[in-house]
Amino acid sequence: MAINSASTLFDKLWSDHTVCELDSGETLLYIDRVFLHERTGSIALQSLHSAGYKVRDARRVFCTMDHIVDTFPGRGDKTLMPSGSDFILATRSETRAANIRLFDVNDEDQGIVHVISPELGLVLPGLTQVCPDSHTCTLGGIGALAWGIGSSEAEHALATGTLRVRKPKNMRVIVDGELASGVTAKDLVLHLIARFGSNGGAGYAVEFCGSAIRRLSVEARFTLCNMAVEFSAFTAIIAPDETVEDYVAGRDFAPKGEHWHDACRYWRTLRSDEDAVFDRELRVDANLIRPMVTWGTSPEQVAGLHECTPDPETFAEIHRREAAQRALEYQGLKPGQVIADIAVNAAFIGSCTNSRISDLRAAAAVVQGRHIAPGVRGVVVPGSRRVKREAEKEGLDRIFTAAGFEWRDSGCSMCFYAGGETFGAHQRVISSTNRNFEGRQGPNTRTHLASPATVAASAIAGYITSAESLANSESLIA
């Protein structure tokens, strides 16, 4: 479909995939990739089969074992989650029957769906990809139009290769300036949510741009776009550039030969026109951002490490006042506590937000030559088996284990609680994950979101701190 006027990147991708406009006001979009996982994949495939339908094109459908599978070394089909093995066995059976490529429990390319999709080159700039997981927006980091769907929508996409979607509005978030040393994409997105609220992106597709965004690595762009759903956005996207081309080149499923050059020519058209009009525009000064950590049970309840927990009475809106009061009670905190004084019981490095090789390198750089504090449990879960092999090749696993961390196999692990493994009730966890609502990491478990470097530093110190503050405190002692 031709573009007759200045368009945003999101509008271009939407238009390129429009099959038709529906009387309902929705658009029927063409879907390039459908990715399933074992928590809901078998259910969608069984339901599809029961309704008398088949997968329309299995070549464009993939599935991985990531949500329920255990991450203990030497794992198999058995899981700590009750009935977890049933999900795994059913997913294996259904994908085999539908001739869908499955990244099984111990497949060498197994991993978290949003990690292995770009890692293998299954998702590419300009493609549409859907998955029954809300953090599918991660893939906007390479310029794909990707969003999370429900199981019934997955059935529709499997059967028809299309989806009915109501088009969201356009938002541009311009991030200029330069992130300070030790400040990461995780801190940037937490800063954004703190400033504009966890519903700040509701009803919008967000395009991140600006000088600070252009300097981000592709893996950092994944982290930023991953938490767009915590901003309540439909999805997020960043225009692909040479950094993305370098990242994609040579991936298993990436175009090769002349197809590669054709693909690059198309990808270079994927940017918003200079005079494109956005429905809303936000600006962020990267120079002002410092390491952030959540104190409450929402990603917007976040502050700098040297700030204090708030007094709920200072919130003007009743709902925010009540939310802050409840969050402090759940977290076992009081108003006015210095965040950097809060002791932790555990540290978790993993999830689709922060489990890639650059995340593990950043955390290992903090950990190297140190040991986690007495009484603190540390767990590191690589995002994929490829990430795990690369980390072991670099010796990162030995750095973590020498420091007292557990070194796991890949998967979602304790990013969320599905009835299996947990850190335990009232345990305080500094975590590189994306959600901190009540019970996210287990019944009554208390979660504080932060970057991998901050998680690593806090594990060493035994209380919430940044890598820079940890080094400064050690130099004073020396």
Side-chain angles (χ1 to χ4, degrees), residues 182 187 290-294 303-307 338-344 346-347 366 370-371 373 376 428-431 448-474:
D187 302 301
R290 295 293 177 266
M292 308 289 287
V293 63
T294 59
L305 270 67
H306 297 290
E307 296 181 70
V338 177
I339 289 173
D341 287 344
I342 297 173
V344 298
V366 176
R370 298 178 167 113
H371 199 281
V376 174
R428 188 179 305 286
V429 186
I430 183 85
S431 179
H448 295 267
L449 305 177
S451 72
T454 295
V455 172
S458 302
I460 301 297
Y463 53 86
I464 295 175
T465 191
S466 67
E468 182 182 23
S469 295
L470 176 68
N472 289 339
S473 64
E474 290 175 338

Side-chain angles (χ1 to χ4, degrees), residues 13-188:
L13 293 181
W14 189 276
S15 179
D16 283 349
H17 289 84
T18 294
V19 177
C20 65
E21 302 294 342
L22 304 173
D23 293 339
S24 62
E26 298 168 301
T27 302
L28 190 67
L29 288 180
Y30 183 80
I31 304 301
D32 294 302
R33 301 280 188 272
V34 180
F35 223 120
L36 305 174
H37 54 77
E38 83 279 28
R39 194 177 189 195
T40 59
S42 63
I43 298 171
L45 289 168
Q46 287 168 347
S47 180
L48 193 70
H49 180 73
S50 297
Y53 295 105
K54 296 180 179 180
V55 175
R56 184 173 187 271
D57 187 353
R59 296 171 302 173
R60 298 190 286 114
V61 183
F62 303 88
C63 183
T64 188
M65 304 284 200
D66 61 352
H67 274 62
I68 291 172
V69 64
D70 281 349
T71 57
F72 300 108
R75 69 186 177 192
D77 292 346
K78 292 183 178 179
T79 68
L80 288 182
M81 173 188 162
S83 73
S85 298
D86 296 338
F87 285 90
I88 290 172
L89 295 173
T91 299
R92 187 175 296 140
S93 173
E94 293 295 333
T95 53
R96 185 176 296 146
N99 201 28
I100 292 171
R101 173 70 167 94
L102 170 67
F103 300 98
D104 211 333
V105 173
N106 286 317
D107 188 299
E108 64 178 8
D109 292 327
Q110 179 272 345
I112 303 173
V113 53
H114 314 312
V115 175
I116 66 173
S117 289
E119 183 179 80
L120 297 172
L122 294 171
V123 66
L124 298 168
L127 295 188
T128 50
Q129 178 161 319
V130 294
C131 173
D133 185 281
S134 58
H135 291 101
T136 307
C137 51
T138 304
L139 308 174
I142 60 167
L145 177 53
W147 68 98
I149 58 174
S151 290
S152 58
E153 291 175 298
E155 292 174 38
H156 191 284
L158 289 167
T160 68
T162 65
L163 265 185
R164 300 159 58 117
V165 191
R166 191 171 298 278
K167 188 178 182 183
K169 295 184 288 186
N170 279 279
M171 175 187 288
R172 178 160 60 181
V173 178
I174 304 171
V175 188
D176 283 323
E178 189 169 355
L179 294 173
S181 175
V183 179
T184 69
K186 184 65 162 289
D187 302 301
L188 167 57

Side-chain angles (χ1 to χ4, degrees), residues 224-284:
L224 180 62
C225 291
N226 174 275
M227 292 190 66
V229 68
E230 270 62 59
F231 193 45
S232 300
F234 171 78
T235 191
I237 194 166
I238 297 172
D241 56 11
E242 290 184 358
T243 303
V244 169
E245 290 179 18
D246 290 343
Y247 174 89
V248 174
R251 302 275 170 185
D252 298 45
F253 289 84
K256 305 290 192 305
E258 185 57 32
H259 296 302
W260 170 257
H261 298 295
D262 291 342
C264 288
R265 277 192 288 274
Y266 170 60
W267 296 344
R268 289 166 192 169
T269 70
L270 299 180
R271 58 201 70 251
S272 292
D273 296 326
E274 287 190 10
D275 51 351
V277 176
F278 289 80
D279 298 290
R280 190 180 181 197
E281 189 169 283
L282 306 178
R283 287 186 175 273
V284 175

